[in-house]
Amino acid sequence: MKRIVSMLLCVAMLCTLSCWAMAETVFTPGTYEGEGTGFQGPIKVSVTVSDTAIEQIQVLEQSETAGISDPAFEKIPALILEHQSVAVDAVAGCTNSSRGLIEAVKAALLAAGATEEMISKEIAAQEAGELETQTADVVIIGAGGAGMTAAVEALRAGGSVLIVEKMAAVGGNTIAAGSALNAAGSDIQKTGTMAASGVEAIEEKLALEPQCDAMKRWQESVRQDLDAYIASGSNQVFDTPDLHKLQTYVDGDYVGKPELIEILCDNAPKALTFLEDLGMSWKPQITTAVGATWSRSHQPANVFGGAGSDFVLPQYEFVKANGGVVALEHKAEELMVEDGRVVGVKGVASNGTPFEFRANKSVILATGGFSANVEMRMKYNKFWANLDETVPTSNQPCATGDGITMAEAIGANLYGMEWIQMVPAGDASLNASIANEMYINADGNRFIAEDERRDVLSGAILAQPGSFCWKVSSAYQAWDIQGGYDYKGNPIESLVANGKAVVGDTLDELAQAMGVNADNLKAAALAFDKAVAGEEPDALGRKVFEYKMDKGPYYATKSYAKVHHTMGGVEINTDCQVLDTQGNVIPGLYACGEVTGGIHGSNRLGGNAIADIIVFGQIAGQNAMK
Ligand code: ADP
């Protein structure tokens, strides 16, 4: 089932301005339909033409990812109408949607009798303007989740805010996120149950030799709370902020900074209410994000359009309503420093116009990570055998590490740059959670405990035949929890229709659709269900279980190891001030989100990034106004 969008771009006015473009007869007047292929599937348009001009473009049908593809649907039809040409550039960040849309319009115009040459007139490059200058109390570089959150807090503190964003739309990589927000102890989490194996998983962490005072303290506090939990006979999910800290630290291989982990996990529950106060809400079930290793991942209820949108658009609505300014298509290139203090940022807009934006109080770097920058990831990678351009990324093209480069150029210290995360991800992933997923290889067998860390999962997938796996889930996840949508808000049926997922009412049917051995798949599901019920321990050592594999229809999507998150970045203190290579604060400069290093150690828990951008975004925004 496709999402039907009726977007009428009207163009009477645009046309009077631009219909000079074609003087002689080009089209047979009328309305024509055309189709192109977007990222998620077909894009259908109808185009109305007079004998000399393109007059109106209407999108009839598309199933592109909401939020991410929006700039394409806003800009491409308007540009084609303005220039009377389909030789327009794709919008950065939604290239596939743009191309599909252009292809669809082109098909309609060819059907209207035009030749390719007539409708592909070259578009003159825009002329650069004079130096653009603006001043605000706080200048934030990057309109993703961290930057938008910082903007909310700076506005609440009474400041004026200017956000500099290089892409054509806000949202950054956050808007494409499929994850959830990890927080310990919420009411939602209390609705979940825990298998007995969960206690074993905690005991393993408590038995570890403490590597620092903070870890010892966390272990002692968890011991006490766990004993009380066991004595109570409860089967609710056990959790405390200190368990969250312990898992974050241990699964980050003891190289995350305890003082930052402390802040992250103590404040994560407040991140839930921060978003709720801005109009967002949560699914009523707790889940376990891929690599979260624990059932504390809160999934958005898709109020703002899909998993990632719900983590950034609530803030954006607030920013717009409270006078925050966003300068889109402005790429920051250099931090301005005067007398040792960061006072603003210089850069160039997409039309070539240079800009200098000054901050009365502070500049906040919120430019995200560098997963999409092959040069940087190859420069810093020490862990993976290969991270060259043949290795895909799950990230948006904006994740090029610009903030890290800009900060380093003025003496900022970089922390943990070699820690680069890969995650199992497909072109479509039905679930943001492993709660009800089996990872199945080409032979139809499970091969790894799905509640493992992301580096372990990715390494195991790379070692499978063909270096891929199928993520198989049952109807509990797809329908009971997600209501028939994937976590990005796409209807599951459209993913199936477009070949991005396969379905089977039974495991036999699913195995056939996947092309794997049905007996192996059924045996895997049977053993999985026994482990869920606590009848037999899981042979692969999985401990986090929620739903069985006993309810069809079953779904499967192909998944690969993709570069997903860069744990390293600029070093910050607990106030989000950026530190230089001597450990001193760089006056006037704050940082938050994936651009920073030191919070997640060598391996980030799934679901901790969303907690990070909200918690540290708030701190940066508040302190930047002090
Ligand atoms: P986080 O999760 O840390 O918020 P995101 O990737 O969601 O990170 O957001 C980072 C944002 O910063 C993106 O929107 C990206 O386009 C923007 N950005 C990155 N580099 C620059 C730059 N040089 N100038 C302006 N914006 C930038």
Side-chain angles (χ1 to χ4, degrees):
M1 196 173 37
K2 304 275 174 335
R3 196 160 359 113
I4 306 289
V5 173
S6 185
M7 184 195 288
L8 192 61
L9 257 244
C10 175
V11 242
M13 238 174 63
L14 261 176
C15 250
T16 32
L17 294 173
S18 57
C19 287
W20 50 267
M22 299 172 190
E24 75 269 18
T25 298
V26 175
F27 309 111
T28 308
T31 298
Y32 300 84
E33 290 191 4
E35 186 174 320
T37 307
F39 184 66
Q40 297 288 358
I43 297 175
K44 288 186 186 160
V45 300
S46 82
V47 181
T48 303
V49 293
S50 67
D51 55 352
T52 56
I54 311 166
E55 297 202 317
Q56 188 175 297
I57 299 170
Q58 189 175 7
V59 179
L60 300 176
E61 197 176 307
Q62 55 101 354
S63 52
E64 302 297 280
T65 306
I68 298 172
S69 65
D70 290 356
F73 291 102
E74 279 156 23
K75 294 193 125 199
I76 298 288
L79 282 170
I80 294 175
L81 289 163
E82 183 187 342
H83 296 287
Q84 294 289 303
S85 169
V86 293
V88 297
D89 287 335
V91 179
C94 41
T95 318
N96 291 319
S97 305
S98 303
R99 290 199 183 123
L101 189 47
I102 295 167
E103 191 189 330
V105 174
K106 195 169 153 186
L109 294 177
L110 294 178
T115 64
E116 193 139 335
E117 201 189 351
M118 288 167 173
I119 56 172
S120 307
K121 155 175 88 78
E122 211 175 298
I123 297 169
Q126 275 180 291
E127 278 198 18
E130 299 284 300
L131 177 72
E132 180 189 357
T133 57
Q134 286 196 58
T135 303
D137 290 336
V138 178
V139 172
I140 300 172
I141 313 175
M148 277 295 167
T149 302
V152 169
E153 291 298 337
L155 288 165
R156 282 180 175 162
S160 56
V161 167
L162 171 59
I163 307 178
V164 189
E165 171 53 55
K166 68 178 175 180
M167 305 302 277
V170 305
N173 206 42
T174 306
I175 207 165
S179 193
L181 193 156
N182 285 349
S186 71
D187 288 342
I188 294 171
Q189 192 186 27
K190 292 193 180 100
T191 63
T193 55
M194 186 168 97
S197 52
V199 173
E200 283 166 40
I202 302 172
E203 293 289 2
E204 282 172 12
K205 294 276 186 288
L206 296 182
L208 295 168
E209 188 65 32
Q211 300 294 310
C212 65
D213 290 347
M215 178 171 167
K216 190 162 183 276
R217 192 164 24 85
W218 299 333
Q219 283 175 314
E220 284 165 3
S221 117
V222 172
R223 173 80 276 155
Q224 241 184 358
D225 291 332
L226 185 67
D227 287 345
Y229 169 85
I230 294 168
S232 75
S234 167
N235 72 343
Q236 279 179 357
V237 178
F238 172 84
D239 205 7
T240 67
D242 283 349
L243 176 62
H244 188 185
K245 293 170 203 172
L246 189 58
Q247 290 169 328
T248 301
Y249 184 61
V250 173
D251 287 335
D253 298 318
Y254 310 104
V255 287
K257 293 183 166 196
E259 68 274 20
L260 296 179
I261 294 173
E262 196 101 53
I263 290 179
L264 175 77
C265 302
D266 281 338
N267 290 288
K270 287 183 225 150
L272 297 172
T273 43
F274 169 83
L275 286 168
E276 280 166 27
D277 291 346
L278 294 171
M280 189 266 195
S281 61
W282 304 96
K283 293 215 171 95
Q285 305 92 345
I286 200 71
T287 61
T288 309
V290 178
T293 72
W294 206 245
S295 239
R296 65 165 73 87
S297 310
H298 296 74
Q299 275 191 303
N302 296 351
V303 178
F304 288 80
S309 308
D310 280 37
F311 294 130
V312 62
L313 296 185
Q315 297 96 306
Y316 183 39
E317 292 301 322
F318 181 95
V319 167
K320 282 190 288 184
N322 288 277
V325 176
V326 184
L328 292 173
E329 298 187 79
H330 281 65
K331 182 171 186 234
E333 291 183 334
E334 190 185 328
L335 294 165
M336 294 157 62
V337 183
E338 288 173 8
D339 300 327
R341 183 179 180 85
V342 175
V343 294
V345 61
K346 289 179 183 184
V348 187
S350 60
N351 63 2
T353 302
F355 69 86
E356 283 185 18
F357 294 158
R358 296 182 81 86
N360 294 325
K361 288 185 176 286
S362 322
V363 172
I364 301 178
L365 269 183
T367 43
F370 61 91
S371 289
N373 184 331
V374 173
E375 209 178 297
M376 268 178 98
R377 66 194 203 194
M378 286 183 68
K379 172 175 168 187
Y380 291 109
N381 170 42
K382 288 191 187 146
F383 184 79
W384 300 101
N386 174 30
L387 288 186
D388 71 11
E389 66 286 344
T390 60
V391 180
T393 176
S394 62
N395 278 206
Q396 296 296 295
C398 62
T400 47
D402 306 5
I404 296 172
T405 309
M406 281 187 275
E408 191 183 22
I410 62 153
N413 196 41
L414 306 186
Y415 188 92
M417 291 295 286
E418 66 275 30
W419 300 321
I420 297 173
Q421 179 166 80
M422 293 185 89
V423 76
D427 285 345
S429 284
L430 296 187
N431 313 324
S433 148
I434 53 104
N436 187 223
E437 271 189 344
M438 296 191 301
Y439 287 13
I440 296 291
N441 68 13
D443 300 325
N445 294 316
R446 275 179 74 219
F447 57 93
I448 185 75
E450 297 83 357
D451 59 352
E452 264 292 2
R453 301 160 39 141
R454 290 179 167 184
D455 48 357
V456 176
L457 294 172
S458 300
I461 290 171
L462 287 171
Q464 296 311 300
S467 296
F468 77 94
C469 79
W470 291 95
K471 291 185 180 182
V472 171
S473 59
S474 73
Y476 291 116
Q477 182 74 37
W479 291 96
D480 299 349
I481 299 182
Q482 299 186 170
Y485 291 85
D486 75 354
Y487 62 78
K488 288 187 174 168
N490 302 305
I492 289 177
E493 284 176 1
S494 82
L495 300 182
V496 173
N498 297 331
K500 302 209 169 194
V502 293
V503 64
D505 283 336
T506 62
L507 285 168
D508 275 308
E509 280 178 29
L510 186 76
Q512 199 180 9
M514 291 160 66
V516 303
N517 182 300
D519 291 337
N520 290 348
L521 182 65
K522 284 189 290 185
L526 203 64
F528 185 90
D529 286 354
K530 285 188 176 159
V532 179
E535 290 163 17
E536 275 176 24
D538 179 46
L540 293 164
R542 176 171 168 154
K543 298 203 167 60
V544 176
F545 290 104
E546 281 162 30
Y547 303 92
K548 288 188 175 180
M549 280 291 157
D550 61 355
K551 183 172 163 184
Y554 299 92
Y555 296 89
T557 52
K558 257 190 182 172
S559 198
Y560 303 84
K562 295 188 179 178
V563 183
H564 184 65
H565 188 95
T566 46
M567 276 74 69
V570 299
E571 188 173 14
I572 52 166
N573 64 16
T574 52
D575 288 329
C576 288
Q577 291 171 297
V578 176
L579 304 178
D580 68 16
T581 49
Q582 309 302 310
N584 299 315
V585 163
I586 299 179
L589 186 62
Y590 292 80
C592 53
E594 199 177 336
V595 69
T596 67
I599 301 169
H600 306 286
S602 61
N603 169 67
R604 176 176 66 74
L605 295 186
N608 269 7
I610 302 296
D612 168 358
I613 59 175
I614 307 294
V615 167
F616 289 97
Q618 284 189 272
I619 294 171
Q622 289 158 4
N623 289 334
M625 270 304 291
K626 278 183 185 158

